[in-house]
Amino acid sequence: MARSLNSLRRPVLAAAAVAAMAGGAALALPGQSTATTGSNPTQPTTICLTGSTSTATEVTVTLPQVAADPVLAYTPSYAGPCASYGAPSSLGNGTLRTFAQLDSAQKPLAIGIVFPKPTLQNLPTTMTDQHHCYDVDGNGQIDEHTECMGGHEFPLPLPGALTSAPGVPYKWALVNFNLMGHGPEGIYDVQHFDFHFYIQPKAERDQIRAGSCGLVMNCDDFATATKPVPAQYMPPDYISNGTAEVAMGNHLVDQTSPEWHNVLFTKTFIYGAYDSKISFLEPMITKAYFDGLSSGSNTNGCFPIKQPQSFEVAGWYPQDYCIRYRANRDDYTVSMENFKHS
């Protein structure tokens, strides 16, 4: 560890020099306005200090804001305490992996998925990995467009530091890449990713069978999936429109979201349900939106998540989901943030 800490001295010294040359003015980070850096240049700021994108040399430090800003701008360091990570899974020319940032009291600050820019290159060119298919019309053949669901799925373990923290209801994560999207037709049938954070244990989710109802779902399981969620656990403006899917459950959609009003889908937030219970939380984002982040035509941002009156399973729940391209690390993050205990 001593060698790792010594290897980080150069970026800190460089940052101090940059800060001095800047005359004590806080520098804006890539993709952020100067308002996000704070008005007090001496304000203590926690960052994860690192000289590379490897997670092996990350160290949480506190610096004055005036020094933290250039470190974040000109090294692969990032804001907040250092993250814990789950095991990676390969996709495209890169990987997907979960991450979590916790404060000193083990409250989650961010829970999400991180992937380097090359992950979006050389993506699968087939509709599905055929993990969840069913011969709905009984003709002895599988039509990947209509009789398979889930696209290409990537189950991901959450970091152990997160799942062992008190009040954390999330058990695992699932990313789906959908080459040509999925139904409903004219809404979500564009290339996109689904980022699921499951409250439901994976073993239970895996028992949701394929069949001829809903989105290639066993009819008994479809009936279970579409049982109404009690009103106090249902977020405002969300409805069930029968989009229950094999190996996943029901999808509750925000009927006020732009894609339901003749606006091209780019991003949205879904609640999942099974057997009258909220089973997962899901940001859904197009590949084009990510491409726009790295090209500069879209900007990093956080977006509010509509909250039910309460959650049946007590714990920490996000009030925002955030989508970012980190130019200093050449990667993307999709995260749930601004947690409140319910």
Side-chain angles (χ1 to χ4, degrees), residues 191-205:
Q191 189 172 122
H192 71 268
F193 293 86
D194 303 330
F195 300 89
H196 305 82
F197 299 91
Y198 267 89
I199 299 167
Q200 182 185 39
K202 187 174 184 299
E204 291 184 13
R205 172 269 190 186

Side-chain angles (χ1 to χ4, degrees), residues 127-133 144 147-154 174-179 181-182 192 194 196 205 215-216 245-248:
M127 281 289 295
T128 174
D129 53 23
Q130 297 193 358
H131 288 171
H132 307 293
C133 300
E144 290 191 357
E147 297 179 320
C148 294
M149 290 294 149
H152 294 264
E153 66 171 12
F154 301 88
L174 175 70
V175 177
N176 297 79
F177 169 65
N178 304 283
L179 178 68
H182 53 65
H192 71 268
D194 303 330
H196 305 82
R205 172 269 190 186
L215 300 177
V216 192
E245 183 174 336
V246 55
M248 202 165 287

Side-chain angles (χ1 to χ4, degrees), residues 77-142:
S77 304
Y78 55 91
C82 293
S84 300
Y85 298 91
S89 182
S90 296
L91 175 62
N93 291 338
T95 59
L96 299 162
R97 70 189 313 185
T98 59
F99 75 93
Q101 290 175 280
L102 307 174
D103 70 11
S104 58
Q106 292 189 291
K107 172 189 174 181
L109 302 176
I111 300 172
I113 309 292
V114 58
F115 50 99
K117 189 176 180 181
T119 301
L120 299 185
Q121 303 166 3
N122 195 30
L123 290 167
T125 57
T126 57
M127 281 289 295
T128 174
D129 53 23
Q130 297 193 358
H131 288 171
H132 307 293
C133 300
Y134 189 83
D135 184 10
V136 175
D137 59 16
N139 68 353
Q141 298 179 350
I142 294 295

Side-chain angles (χ1 to χ4, degrees), residues 240-252:
S240 171
N241 63 357
T243 52
E245 183 174 336
V246 55
M248 202 165 287
N250 200 11
H251 292 76
L252 308 176

Side-chain angles (χ1 to χ4, degrees), residues 199-220:
I199 299 167
Q200 182 185 39
K202 187 174 184 299
E204 291 184 13
R205 172 269 190 186
D206 289 346
Q207 295 302 311
I208 302 175
R209 299 162 292 178
S212 59
C213 289
L215 300 177
V216 192
M217 194 173 189
N218 173 274
C219 292
D220 289 339

Side-chain angles (χ1 to χ4, degrees), residues 234-269:
M234 192 76 169
D237 300 321
Y238 277 75
I239 60 171
S240 171
N241 63 357
T243 52
E245 183 174 336
V246 55
M248 202 165 287
N250 200 11
H251 292 76
L252 308 176
V253 299
D254 181 357
Q255 61 188 328
T256 69
S257 196
E259 67 271 13
W260 294 95
H261 298 275
N262 300 314
V263 177
L264 182 67
F265 162 60
T266 58
K267 64 185 184 316
T268 196
F269 193 88

